[in-house]
Each structure stands twice: as structure tokens, then as C-alpha cells.
Amino acid sequence: MKVGVLALQGDVREHISSLIACGVDPSTVRRASELDQVDALVLPGGESTTIAQLAEVFGIYSQIKNRIAVGMPIYGSCAGMILLADEILDAKQGQKSFGGLDITVRRNAFGRQVDSFESDIPFADGSSDLIRAVFIRAPWVERVGEGVEVLATVDTHPVAVRSRTLFATSFHPELTADHRIHRYFIEEVARPALEKVK
Amino acid sequence: MAEVTGTARVKRGMAEMLKGGVIMDVVNAEQAKIAEDAGAVAVMALERVPADIRAQGGVARMSDPDMIEKIQAAVSIPVMAKARIGHFVEARVLESLGVDYIDESEVLTPADYENHIDKWDFTVPFVCGATNLGEALRRINEGAAMIRSKGEAGTGDVSNAMQHMRKIGGEIRRLSSMREDELYVAAKEMAAPYALVKEVAETGKLPVVLFTAGGIATPADAALMKSMGADGVFIGSGIFKSGNPAQRAAACVKATTFWDDPKVIADASRGLGEAMVGINVADLPAPHRLADRGW
């Protein structure tokens, strides 16, 4: 399985390290030709407005949308969650997302940087162990559509969601040494989806 | 499920999210919007850009809270603001306004010529300037969660930024090649804490994100700094002191992402109009050099 990390802006390096720890050999994706080479994609943390804009300017925006439509497995953390959401609240005027995940997210919902926090939360992957979740100017999910599974919450707000091949967290597992979230994406989201295609 | 704010991971992590991006100096809400639309990852709210501080002289201080709040209300990206070196009350004020990052900056007139702010004591993260590795590690030891190499702000002359990026990179490479028993003296010589010196020697990089600042005025300047190992760039006077700020800002964002692709940088550089006029750093008398402030 070839996994790419969208490398237009954000904490690309951390996602690369987490993916390597999960036994995959990731590559960075900035160009359309590089996107063609990968089976699954990670959208990193960063500024969602910047990433969406660069994707559009460099002609990879509609291509990612097309790949989402044909079932490419994608994981997005924080800004990546915003980029996967069908609807964004508190967005910059005219802010675009790739969409595909039938959720409404609120940007910076937990507040400004002084409100950024870390916490141990349960994650519904079958293990009862808590996961260290790091929230940085993080969004939360305000509405989930039909078929969207909520895998983690903070104060009743969904912070990890999945719908078929799309998976998103409003926290940053790539900033910790616990690779459970990335492993979940590879083993439970991406691998089954790609095997079905074969 | 205890929620902890202000941890080193949360502060340093915020800077990780800015990597590969451009942070732009803005003096009002209108400029902040232009910066956001151009793809800036954050804006630095200040009353006068460094070129004007340099031209007008006088004591440069923290910006008016009203002005900072207007900028916060105008954009959805992070808003940073500057406090004077050692002025921990200005920093408390900025923290109370909810700015996302504080720049303890040599561009403002220092409030303390011996001590910097004890940055561990704050929930808001700090970025500090450095001209060499020892200075960077002293700032990190005081709690800085992000470092920017200093350049000569407000000049449009990139040579100082270049010099400091080379210096910091060179010193990191030197530590990495040392025997472990030589690191004690290395720490003494660079006046930096041994634990941090050892960490840099082992990992081959700073423990926090390293941006660069000062004198960056063109897309090629931004790409040059990325090529030198900067995680991203601050652009101060270079954008809003130029002929076509919106276009230049967007061009610098593109060049920062595709720093290794000369064709993209060439396209981004076309038809930008006048760059800021600029001052050669060599023509500045030593007492007027901002990068020398910090200890």
C-alpha cells in the first residue's frame, strides 16, 4: 500500500514518522503526478485556509475531490478534518474544502491557542486504553450525517469520526509516540478498502 | 479526563502546524484580510512595520489592544503580537487578549538589557529570535516554543538572515559530529544549558520549530530560507511596503511551498511590481542594527 501525506503546508514530518512507525513507506504529495502514485492519503495538521488555497492554485484540488469520490482512503487530523468536511462553520469567507465527509465542523471551536489542551480520551477501536489527544486551536464536529460513525468525543462533541473510507480527528496523534490512530487508519480503514478494490 | 493547557507539547505543537508557511506582519484589519486571502498561516499584528520603526525612530512598544482585537476579529488564522524583550507585563496583556503566539522581539525597543521573559510561566507560547545556536538554546531554556533566526528587520536585505541561518545550521552540524565528552565544553563555549546541547547533538536539530525572519522581500528570498533549513518564514515590511501586496504575499506563499522548484518560483516572481526599496545592512551604523539586540 502506498500512502501519501499532502505536503503543501503543516506538520507533514510528524505524520511521516507516525506512518513509518506503522510499517508503511510514506511519500509526500504536492503535485498531481505525485497523487497518482499513492493509494491512500493523509491530510496533516496546519492551516486549512492555506492548504485549500495552495491545493487549488497548484491544480490538485479537483483531483483530490475526484479521488475521494471513487473511494480513496483518507485520514485528516485537525486542518485535515476541516478539509474533509462537507460544511465548515466559522470559516474564512469563501473557504473551500475537499468535502466527502457528511459532517459540519466548527473551526477553532475549542478556542484560541491559550485554550489548546491535551487530555486522555477513549477511542472506539475496540481497546479500552485511553489515548493521549492533543488539541491545538482544534475544531469539533457539530453535526454528523447518516452513516457517519463517531469514534471519540470530548464534552459530548465528536472529535473522531469515520464514514466508509474517510476518517478524521480534530486532535493530533502525530504529536505523540502512540501510533494507534495511524494504525487504525492503515489497518481498519485503508487496507480493507483497497483489498475490496482488488 | 483532565484537560491540561499550556504544556510544552501544546505550545511547540502549535508551531509545528505553521511549518511550510508564511507569517506576515500587518498593521490593520484590512492588511490582515489580504494576508489571510493570500494564504498566510498566521499574521503578526503590530502598529508599525519594522521599516517604519527604523524610519521614524523613537521607542517601539507593544501595539494598542484595540488594534490587535480588530485584527483578531477580522481573520480566522492565528494572530501573533510582539512584546518588548523582558517586558513580562506587555506579555501578560497580550496573553489576556488571547493572542495565539507572542514574539519577544528585538524589533521593539528592549525593556530589559539583561533578562528575557520567563516564558515557562505563561500559557500562551512564545517565539524568540536568535543569531546563533547558543542564543536559540538560551531562549528555549527560558521557555520559547519556537525560534526564528534573526535578520535585519525592515531592510529588505536578506544577507543577515542568511548569515544567521548558516551559523545556526553550522553549529548544529558541528555538535552532531562531536564526541560525547566534548559536549560539556561546547555547552560552556556557547553559553547554553548542557541538556539542550546534548539533545541537539543527538537529534541533529533544534527541539522546536525554526523559522527565519528579517529582510525577506521576494519569493526567491523565501525559497532561499527554506533551502537553508528554515521550517517557514516571517515576512515583515517586505509585503506591505511593496507595490502590490496581495500578489506579492500570494507569490511568497507559493515559493515557500515549492522552494525546491525554480519554475514555480519563476512563475510566482513574474509581474509583482516594485519590491520594497530596501536598505543595505552594511550601510546601517552598528547602533541601528536590530539583530544585535538580545543576550
Side-chain angles (χ1 to χ4, degrees), chain A residues 9 14 30 53 107 118, chain B residues 7 9 17 19 37 76:
Chain A
Q9 190 274 321
E14 285 66 25
R30 284 183 297 176
Q53 180 151 347
R107 282 180 73 207
E118 44 185 296
Chain B
T7 61
R9 180 149 60 192
M17 302 311 145
K19 281 190 303 199
D37 286 339
S76 64

Side-chain angles (χ1 to χ4, degrees), chain A residues 134-165:
Chain A
V134 184
F135 295 85
I136 296 176
R137 284 173 50 94
W140 67 45
V141 178
E142 293 215 342
R143 179 196 63 83
V144 293
E146 226 171 284
V148 179
E149 195 183 345
V150 174
L151 297 166
T153 56
V154 167
D155 306 333
T156 76
H157 304 291
V159 293
V161 291
R162 175 191 177 175
S163 171
R164 294 188 302 273
T165 57

Side-chain angles (χ1 to χ4, degrees), chain A residues 44-56:
Chain A
E47 269 310 308
S48 56
T49 54
T50 305
I51 296 172
Q53 180 151 347
L54 284 165
E56 212 170 5

Side-chain angles (χ1 to χ4, degrees), chain A residues 7-14 30-31 44-47 49-50 53-54 57-58 78 90-93 95 107-108 110-122 132 134-137 153-155 172 174-177, chain B residues 1-11 13-14 16-21 36-42 72-73 75-79 95 97-101 123-125 205 209 231 250 253-254 257-261 264:
Chain A
L8 296 170
Q9 190 274 321
D11 69 338
V12 177
R13 209 157 54 209
E14 285 66 25
R30 284 183 297 176
R31 297 177 179 83
E47 269 310 308
T49 54
T50 305
Q53 180 151 347
L54 284 165
V57 171
F58 290 101
C78 198
D90 291 340
K92 185 190 86 148
Q93 209 181 359
Q95 182 175 347
R107 282 180 73 207
N108 308 333
F110 286 101
R112 296 190 160 275
Q113 173 59 15
V114 286
D115 307 306
S116 293
F117 65 97
E118 44 185 296
S119 180
D120 293 319
I121 64 170
R132 190 66 169 175
V134 184
F135 295 85
I136 296 176
R137 284 173 50 94
T153 56
V154 167
D155 306 333
H172 293 281
E174 72 277 14
L175 294 182
T176 71
Chain B
M1 197 172 75
E3 297 180 0
V4 210
T5 58
T7 61
R9 180 149 60 192
V10 160
K11 290 172 168 180
M14 166 81 206
E16 304 286 357
M17 302 311 145
L18 301 171
K19 281 190 303 199
E36 183 180 44
D37 286 339
V41 289
Q72 286 174 321
V75 294
S76 64
I77 55 177
V79 176
E95 183 178 53
L97 297 177
V99 305
D100 295 297
Y101 239 93
T123 305
V124 67
K205 63 184 206 56
V209 165
D231 291 316
V253 170
K254 288 181 205 166
T257 294
F258 286 92
W259 55 276
D260 53 351
D261 187 334
V264 173

Side-chain angles (χ1 to χ4, degrees), chain B residues 139-164:
Chain B
R139 297 296 87 79
I140 293 167
N141 194 43
E142 295 156 3
M146 177 179 182
I147 294 292
R148 54 173 172 77
S149 70
K150 291 179 189 172
E152 203 43 54
T155 61
D157 179 346
V158 80
S159 64
N160 255 31
M162 191 66 179
Q163 183 190 338
H164 299 144

